[in-house]
Amino acid sequence: MSLGKKMIQPPFLKAGDKVALVSPAYWVPEEAIMQAAEQIRSWGLQPVVGPHTTSLNVDAYAGMADERAMDLRWAFEDDSIKAVVCSRGGYGSIHLLNRVPTDCYSQHPKWLIGHGDITTLLYTVAGEGMMSIHGPMAFQIAAQQEPATNILRDMFFGTIPQYKIPGNVHNKCGHAEGILVGGNLCSYAAISGTKFQLDPEQDVILFIEEVEESLHVIDRLFYALRLQPGFERVKGIIFGAFSSVKYDLQYGSVEQMLITHLHDMDIPVCCGFPVGSNSCLPLIEGAPCSLDVTPESALLSFDIEGGKHFYDIKKEHPQIMK
């Protein structure tokens, strides 16, 4: 396995540490932010809210792009803050890429948490050489979405998950090692291969999910990734949840369609991993990991510092495997 430069693992939190709530993309109601803050407080942490977190611009964004960038910089540059939780995704994170210097992340290492459109920022953080958490955001923490929020809480304090999920008819068996990157397909495809990408020497395990897109859009975006120079460094693929998809092509599933683009690659493929808009098991983006796929199951393990907790998702949380 080629890992390129060593990735920075932010420090774990301890009781009383500050956790910032910011909105890099779409707006959320103040009530959701306050509920998330109360939940974070119940974990023994101290929530602090960004100045523009509940602002509203053009009836969509949480403030102007400069204001959202200002909040993200504040959250990273204040060294008393130890983690940064995004309120929600939607769209808009891409506006921040040229407004926040990338070395802001590595100079102030701390956990950034989000998914969906926040994929844009997580990938940028990984490109800067630091790990982050693809996991539940403020509105899901407010709703106490389980098991994701409990796992996130434990991760804050140093417990690293290892996930086992049941087999899938579309899986391709094998073993792979690499740096975990990916997230929402639309958001990832928009910046993959740009100046914000990972060290080209690093092997990659790619994970993707998508919501409310058509099959032909998903097909086009994934095929565009396949055409990028360096795609051969992808040593394994995890397909997450594809929810509320418009079936405008005659395939039985998204996985059945995408697997056709991988016939020439001898790599393991895990289908049906519960990561996406409805079930967002926390994943450590930018972390070295291993993927083992057999006919019966798939196992994802992170090779980083911290205590390990093994989750057999089918046994412990069967509701999220539906």
Side-chain angles (χ1 to χ4, degrees):
M1 173 176 62
S2 176
L3 292 180
K5 66 181 180 182
K6 183 175 175 60
M7 303 295 287
I8 300 169
Q9 179 179 341
F12 296 121
L13 280 64
K14 60 182 184 300
D17 278 346
K18 291 181 182 177
V19 175
L21 293 162
V22 299
S23 298
Y26 275 1
W27 169 88
V28 292
E30 184 175 2
E31 179 184 6
I33 296 295
M34 294 303 103
Q35 290 174 344
E38 190 59 34
Q39 187 66 19
I40 289 170
R41 191 174 289 110
S42 76
W43 298 349
L45 300 167
Q46 181 182 348
V48 290
V49 179
H52 304 96
T53 298
T54 57
S55 298
L56 180 61
N57 177 47
V58 297
D59 203 31
Y61 303 123
M64 303 287 287
D66 285 342
E67 294 173 331
R68 288 179 276 133
M70 189 184 309
D71 279 9
L72 189 61
R73 289 195 67 170
W74 157 77
F76 269 90
E77 292 176 353
D78 184 339
D79 290 330
S80 71
I81 294 172
K82 303 303 180 183
V84 184
V85 175
C86 299
S87 64
R88 67 158 293 179
Y91 176 68
S93 297
I94 198 167
H95 301 156
L96 279 56
L97 296 192
N98 286 327
R99 288 178 164 88
V100 178
T102 54
D103 62 2
C104 176
Y105 307 122
S106 57
Q107 288 180 5
H108 307 275
K110 60 190 69 176
W111 295 105
L112 175 67
I113 301 94
H115 68 272
D117 184 68
I118 308 301
T119 292
T120 303
L121 299 178
L122 303 183
Y123 185 65
T124 304
V125 168
E128 183 58 20
M130 193 175 78
M131 302 177 199
S132 60
I133 298 175
H134 182 278
M137 294 182 284
F139 78 98
Q140 292 160 317
I141 293 172
Q144 300 182 46
Q145 184 187 88
E146 300 303 346
T149 53
N150 275 343
I151 296 174
L152 176 64
R153 176 201 62 205
D154 294 344
M155 290 172 72
F156 276 164
F157 294 109
T159 299
I160 304 302
Q162 299 182 73
Y163 296 119
K164 178 184 177 183
I165 68 166
N168 185 290
V169 66
H170 297 298
N171 280 359
K172 292 179 65 177
C173 297
H175 171 82
E177 298 177 2
I179 300 294
L180 187 71
V181 295
N184 176 261
L185 178 58
C186 282
S187 302
Y188 179 79
I191 63 167
S192 177
T194 67
K195 64 182 180 180
F196 301 103
Q197 68 179 331
L198 281 173
D199 181 338
E201 298 299 316
Q202 287 167 315
D203 288 344
V204 164
I205 292 179
L206 173 66
F207 73 99
I208 60 170
E209 56 84 17
E210 192 51 84
V211 59
E212 297 180 350
E213 287 291 351
S214 66
L215 280 188
H216 88 268
V217 168
I218 294 172
D219 183 82
R220 178 172 57 200
L221 291 173
F222 186 75
Y223 205 73
L225 292 180
R226 276 239 52 192
L227 293 172
Q228 286 185 2
F231 191 84
E232 66 275 2
R233 67 179 172 150
V234 174
K235 303 304 180 184
I237 293 179
I238 297 171
F239 290 136
F242 296 94
S243 53
S244 303
V245 171
K246 178 183 177 183
Y247 278 77
D248 57 349
L249 297 172
Q250 297 303 305
Y251 288 97
S253 67
V254 176
E255 294 85 355
Q256 181 190 27
M257 176 181 71
L258 295 182
I259 206 78
T260 63
H261 299 321
L262 300 171
H263 64 90
D264 60 331
M265 296 186 72
D266 185 21
I267 61 173
V269 179
C270 166
C271 298
F273 196 95
V275 58
S277 61
N278 297 324
S279 298
C280 198
L281 289 183
L283 301 175
I284 306 173
E285 186 138 358
C289 66
S290 61
L291 175 67
D292 290 279
V293 183
T294 70
E296 295 77 27
S297 65
L299 178 66
L300 178 65
S301 303
F302 297 99
D303 183 21
I304 66 172
E305 295 179 6
K308 302 296 191 292
H309 186 94
F310 178 79
Y311 293 93
D312 187 327
I313 299 301
K314 183 178 180 180
K315 288 183 178 179
E316 299 177 50
H317 305 285
Q319 75 280 5
I320 68 172
M321 291 305 304
K322 294 179 181 179

